[in-house]
Amino acid sequence: MQNAAELTYSKVPEVTLIFWIIKVLATTLGETGGDALSMSLNLGYLISTGVFAIIFLAAVMVQINAKKFHPVIYWTTIIATTTVGTTLADFADRSLGIGYAGGTALLLALLVSSLFIWHRTLGTVAVDSVSSPKSEMFYWVTIMFSQTLGTALGDWTADTEGLGYEGGIVLFGTLLALIAALYYSKKLSNTILFWAAFILTRPLGAVVGDFLDKPIANGGLALSRYSASAALVAMIVFFIFVFPHRPAQKQH
């Protein structure tokens, strides 16, 4: 039996199949929810980004101030990163005029820089090490960049590269399956595979979200953004409360 002193419990959840299911649902919700505010309510990308940024900052503060891991607080913060990531990416890609390729390149640089500084500062970017306010700050900044990058990458692939939403779903789903195969083969670091999978679930969610709510003429199903978002929230709540969630733990 492990000595309690030999274990450090993280403020983030253990990475399981349920974690990835909720992550994909949350990223899809980020797309439909972000579009609902910026497009359906016609608030525009800049104002919507400001609204979601306030929610994101409030959620991060609650998460960091929590004494231990709480599934509801954690996943609320994840959803906040996906919504602000959606509108921020759309603002960068469309309103600033740098295009999907320019937005993707810029956000990739920011993400890599965040991971690099995090590693140089704390010596690791492993998820099970997220147990202090400083590591949590790096964690959430990195996640926000990854969510924003994923939105730009998903839109670029589906729209500019001509794959369409269904093609994007197949592409990113296949890449995630490859990462899962590499995980079971034990040929790459779990930390590298985690961040690769975490980043790729966002463009998958982006193209799934667009597939649900975009017009039929554009290759979507033309579902209401509000009803799609409500259904996604219901599924996330189901998986949070029905299945157990434990904090990640690091053995010393």
Side-chain angles (χ1 to χ4, degrees), residues 54-70:
I54 293 172
I55 296 172
F56 165 65
L57 291 173
V60 168
M61 289 181 64
V62 172
Q63 165 70 20
I64 291 177
N65 288 323
K67 301 301 181 183
K68 60 181 181 179
F69 167 66
H70 293 280

Side-chain angles (χ1 to χ4, degrees), residues 169-217:
I169 292 171
V170 171
L171 172 63
F172 294 116
T174 300
L175 290 174
L176 286 168
L178 176 60
I179 290 173
L182 290 171
Y183 170 79
Y184 287 109
S185 71
K186 306 294 183 182
K187 292 183 178 179
L188 281 177
S189 161
N190 285 350
T191 299
I192 293 174
L193 292 175
F194 169 82
W195 284 111
F198 199 95
I199 293 166
L200 286 173
T201 53
R202 184 62 186 97
L204 176 62
V207 293
V208 170
D210 283 339
F211 177 67
L212 293 175
D213 64 30
K214 288 298 188 286
I216 294 176

Side-chain angles (χ1 to χ4, degrees), residues 85 88-89 92-93 102-112 144-146 148-153:
L88 182 58
D93 297 340
T104 299
L106 173 62
L107 292 163
L108 178 60
L110 291 172
L111 174 62
V112 171
M144 194 270 289
F145 284 144
S146 76
T148 310
L149 168 64
T151 301
L153 183 59

Side-chain angles (χ1 to χ4, degrees), residues 26-27 29-31 77-86 147 151 202:
T27 57
L29 172 61
E31 191 71 19
T77 311
I78 286 289
I79 292 170
T81 66
T82 66
T83 50
V84 72
T86 295
Q147 305 283 40
T151 301
R202 184 62 186 97

Side-chain angles (χ1 to χ4, degrees), residues 72-188:
V72 172
I73 296 175
Y74 175 83
W75 286 111
T76 297
T77 311
I78 286 289
I79 292 170
T81 66
T82 66
T83 50
V84 72
T86 295
T87 55
L88 182 58
D90 287 341
F91 176 73
D93 297 340
R94 300 167 186 173
S95 298
L96 294 182
I98 60 177
Y100 294 129
T104 299
L106 173 62
L107 292 163
L108 178 60
L110 291 172
L111 174 62
V112 171
S113 298
S114 178
L115 286 168
F116 176 76
I117 296 171
W118 180 3
H119 191 276
R120 286 294 300 270
T121 303
L122 299 180
T124 180
V125 295
V127 175
D128 58 16
S129 71
V130 181
S131 56
S132 68
K134 182 179 285 187
S135 62
E136 279 198 273
M137 286 299 298
F138 278 117
Y139 179 80
W140 289 111
V141 169
T142 302
I143 283 182
M144 194 270 289
F145 284 144
S146 76
Q147 305 283 40
T148 310
L149 168 64
T151 301
L153 183 59
D155 289 343
W156 183 25
T157 302
D159 297 337
T160 306
E161 297 304 312
L163 287 182
Y165 306 127
E166 293 177 342
I169 292 171
V170 171
L171 172 63
F172 294 116
T174 300
L175 290 174
L176 286 168
L178 176 60
I179 290 173
L182 290 171
Y183 170 79
Y184 287 109
S185 71
K186 306 294 183 182
K187 292 183 178 179
L188 281 177

